[in-house]
Amino acid sequence: AWMAKDTSKAPIEPLADSIVDTATRIGVGRSKVYELLNSGKLKSIKIGRRRLVTRDSQRELLSGLAA
């Protein structure tokens, strides 16, 4: 028999965020995100016309600043 999906699990965390969402997450403006991307301090991927900043890259940047 068909069973309904179990929705009690924690939501799936995205692997990447838009430029605006990245800016919000790390507490800077959009221009700063582009600056960090151009300097290589943040890594992004491109899917179609969208540029997405990887969550791993965001974590690496913030952990590097905290050290």
Side-chain angles (χ1 to χ4, degrees):
W2 181 82
M3 300 290 288
K5 275 189 177 177
D6 180 8
T7 56
S8 63
K9 294 179 186 167
I12 297 171
E13 182 181 327
L15 298 176
D17 295 310
S18 69
I19 301 296
V20 172
D21 289 344
T22 297
T24 302
R25 270 178 61 85
I26 66 175
V28 298
R30 272 185 26 211
S31 300
K32 189 65 174 178
V33 172
Y34 283 111
E35 189 181 306
L36 292 165
L37 285 167
N38 289 332
S39 70
K41 293 179 182 174
L42 275 176
K43 296 178 186 79
S44 68
I45 56 173
K46 202 161 183 193
I47 300 178
R49 297 177 69 184
R50 292 189 71 197
R51 178 154 311 277
L52 301 171
V53 182
T54 63
R55 288 268 175 109
D56 286 344
S57 176
Q58 294 174 49
R59 286 188 199 97
E60 286 173 25
L61 172 74
L62 295 175
S63 65
L65 293 175

